[in-house]
């Protein structure tokens, strides 16, 4: 690891020189490539330098144990365990920084939320979850837009599909896939009984042309009239689009835009992402035995979280995390949960390696 890190530091120094080279600065494409690489290496090199500095301090402290002055020996004895603990922490940080990155982490996200068991209450909670994720996206300054929705009669959604656009969106959202369970007294309940309902969340990395290639001959495109609110063109023009991928049977629909062309582009984007996601799930299933206990990002059949309103409690069952601040969580304050899931996965990945 140290040998690899020394090579990383040498590359970092070389890029710093290249970034100040007039010839490189004149070539904007090359300059941007070096700037991006510099940014990635700048996450690792300062930690490595801190690590090597701490090791030097430890070596000096151990040498002072042989000093003739008892006070200096006592100070060195106190300092050694502090330095050893710091070195161990930095070593773990370096291990995490050197772990292979998920190539999908920087992608945008297709976020799909569907009401499950629980009737109208499940639809209301689907709306609550969509609002929670919208608030979270806004806190990160990411753009979120609805692609397809099916409103529930009592409020909320039977289904809502949206796009979250922002650097690193998938890295933050990817652990949200699964069944989200809610326990609360529905507004329609007259006797004050707590009901349990469920909502399914699916998080798909946005597919790009380099990720998946689709033969236009394999697509069946249907157009129809939009339904619901949306302006004068709704119910008067065939602007809504449904695309079916014949080989896989995967379907995507979009009717949010007034333009048929825009709806088709959005639906095709969702379709590609769903096909890519199916491939990712298949690959993850093959590797499942090798990463036993790791928090998955593809399986949507398992209950991952419970939101208990009477007790103001949220529990993530995958890592045993319970927080008693449900109000702020439903307002989009979910970073603590996401960070805990990511840390859990990193720990398991380190053990595997």
């Amino acid at each position: 690891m140290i040998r690899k890190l020394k090579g990383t530091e040498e590359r970092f120094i070389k890029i710093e020189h290249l970034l100040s080279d007039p010839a490189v600065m004149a070539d904007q494409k090359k300059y941007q490539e070096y700037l991006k690489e510099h940014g990635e290496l700048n996450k690792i090199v300062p930690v490595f330098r801190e690590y090597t500095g701490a090791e030097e301090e430890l070596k000096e402290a151990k040498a002072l144990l042989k000093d003739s002055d008892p006070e200096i020996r006592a100070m060195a004895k106190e300092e050694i365990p502090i330095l050893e603990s710091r070195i161990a922490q930095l070593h773990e940080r370096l291990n995490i920084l050197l772990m292979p990155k998920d190539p999908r982490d920087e992608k945008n996200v297709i976020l799909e939320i569907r009401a499950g068991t629980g009737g109208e209450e499940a639809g209301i909670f689907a709306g609550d979850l969509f609002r929670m994720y919208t608030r979270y996206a806004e806190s990160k300054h990411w753009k979120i837009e609805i692609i397809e929705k099916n409103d529930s009669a009592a409020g909320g959604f039977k289904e809502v599909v949206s796009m979250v656009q922002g650097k690193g969106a998938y890295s933050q959202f990817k652990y949200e896939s699964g069944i989200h369970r809610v326990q609360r007294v529905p507004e329609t309940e007259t006797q004050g009984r707590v009901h349990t309902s469920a909502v399914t969340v699916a998080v798909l990395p946005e597919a790009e042309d380099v990720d998946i290639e689709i033969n236009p001959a394999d697509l069946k495109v249907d157009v129809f009239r939009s339904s619901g609110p949306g302006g004068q063109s709704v119910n008067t023009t065939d602007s809504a689009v449904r695309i079916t991928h014949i080989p896989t049977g995967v379907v995507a629909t979009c009717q949010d835009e007034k333009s048929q062309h825009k709806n088709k582009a959005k639906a095709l984007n969702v379709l590609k992402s769903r096909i890519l996601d199916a491939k990712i799930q298949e690959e993850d299933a093959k590797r499942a035995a090798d990463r036993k206990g790791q928090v998955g990002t593809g399986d949507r059949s398992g209950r991952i979280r419970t939101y208990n309103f009477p007790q103001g409690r949220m529990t993530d069952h995958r890592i045993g995390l319970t927080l008693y601040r449900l109000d702020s969580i439903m307002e989009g304050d979910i970073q603590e949960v996401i960070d805990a899931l990511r840390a859990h996965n990193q720990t398991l990945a380190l053990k595997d390696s």
Side-chain angles (χ1 to χ4, degrees), residues 110 145-150 159-163 221-227 234 237-244 251-271 274:
I110 305 291
E145 60 176 327
I146 292 175
I147 294 172
E148 178 189 356
K149 65 183 173 72
N150 186 354
E159 174 186 33
V160 57
V161 179
S162 61
M163 165 77 82
V221 181
D222 298 305
V223 294
F224 56 98
R225 291 186 180 181
S226 301
S227 58
V234 171
T237 59
D238 293 334
S239 60
V241 175
R242 181 189 300 109
I243 305 177
T244 305
V251 180
T253 305
C254 183
Q255 59 176 354
D256 196 55
E257 301 282 350
K258 293 179 183 179
S259 158
Q260 185 186 115
H261 176 73
K262 287 182 180 178
N263 281 331
K264 185 178 178 181
K266 282 187 176 182
L268 186 60
N269 197 9
V270 172
L271 185 86
R274 286 177 179 168

Side-chain angles (χ1 to χ4, degrees), residues 18-293:
L18 286 167
L19 286 171
S20 59
D21 186 333
V24 172
M25 293 171 76
D27 185 341
Q28 273 302 300
K29 186 180 178 184
K30 190 172 283 186
Y31 181 78
Q32 290 301 323
E33 285 173 3
Y34 284 137
L35 197 63
K36 185 179 178 182
E37 188 179 355
H38 182 273
E40 289 300 314
L41 296 180
N42 198 33
K43 296 173 186 175
I44 301 169
V45 173
V47 183
F48 175 56
R49 287 173 175 171
E50 190 179 345
Y51 174 83
T52 53
E55 282 207 315
E56 283 299 316
E57 286 181 49
L58 180 62
K59 197 182 292 182
E60 290 169 9
K62 284 181 176 179
L64 290 174
L65 289 173
K66 298 175 183 178
D67 196 275
S68 58
D69 189 330
E71 285 189 13
I72 290 176
R73 290 200 305 271
M75 285 173 62
K77 199 172 180 180
E78 281 182 19
E79 196 174 357
I80 285 169
I82 296 168
L83 286 167
E84 286 175 338
S85 174
R86 185 171 149 215
I87 288 166
Q89 289 172 358
L90 290 167
H91 191 276
E92 188 172 338
R93 275 183 68 191
L94 286 167
N95 267 323
I96 291 168
L97 288 166
L98 290 174
M99 280 169 55
K101 299 284 191 298
D102 184 338
R104 301 180 290 266
D105 273 355
E106 296 302 306
K107 289 184 178 290
N108 296 329
V109 161
I110 305 291
L111 178 65
E112 304 182 344
I113 302 172
R114 293 180 178 86
T117 55
E120 295 293 349
E121 170 62 10
I124 293 169
F125 189 61
D128 292 341
L129 280 184
F130 179 69
R131 181 175 179 273
M132 178 184 82
Y133 290 130
T134 299
R135 290 291 179 92
Y136 175 67
E138 288 169 351
S139 75
K140 308 288 278 187
H141 304 290
W142 293 338
K143 182 183 177 184
I144 185 165
E145 60 176 327
I146 292 175
I147 294 172
E148 178 189 356
K149 65 183 173 72
N150 186 354
D151 295 329
S152 175
F157 304 102
K158 291 179 182 176
E159 174 186 33
V160 57
V161 179
S162 61
M163 165 77 82
V164 183
Q165 294 176 301
K167 188 177 179 182
Y170 185 69
S171 71
Q172 301 296 306
F173 271 97
K174 64 182 179 181
Y175 300 121
E176 294 301 301
S177 289
I179 296 172
H180 295 241
R181 190 177 69 165
V182 59
Q183 295 173 328
R184 65 183 176 187
V185 179
E187 293 177 14
T188 53
E189 171 60 52
T190 56
Q191 296 180 32
R193 291 176 299 185
V194 174
H195 285 224
T196 299
S197 305
V199 170
T200 301
V201 174
V203 177
L204 289 59
E206 182 189 20
E208 297 172 26
D209 291 337
V210 293
D211 298 318
I212 191 159
E213 193 174 330
I214 292 178
N215 185 345
D218 290 336
L219 299 177
K220 179 175 179 281
V221 181
D222 298 305
V223 294
F224 56 98
R225 291 186 180 181
S226 301
S227 58
Q232 293 180 345
S233 64
V234 171
N235 295 321
T236 61
T237 59
D238 293 334
S239 60
V241 175
R242 181 189 300 109
I243 305 177
T244 305
H245 185 242
I246 298 165
T248 61
V250 175
V251 180
T253 305
C254 183
Q255 59 176 354
D256 196 55
E257 301 282 350
K258 293 179 183 179
S259 158
Q260 185 186 115
H261 176 73
K262 287 182 180 178
N263 281 331
K264 185 178 178 181
K266 282 187 176 182
L268 186 60
N269 197 9
V270 172
L271 185 86
K272 286 180 179 179
S273 299
R274 286 177 179 168
I275 293 170
L276 174 64
D277 182 63
K279 288 187 175 183
I280 292 167
Q281 287 191 64
E282 190 178 337
E283 290 168 8
D284 284 352
K286 288 176 183 175
R287 292 195 297 265
D290 298 326
R291 54 172 201 169
K292 191 176 180 182

Side-chain angles (χ1 to χ4, degrees), residues 293-295 318-319 339-349:
Q294 192 166 345
V295 174
R318 295 164 294 179
I319 56 174
D339 288 344
L341 289 161
R342 294 178 72 194
H344 175 80
N345 253 25
Q346 286 173 345
T347 302
L348 289 171

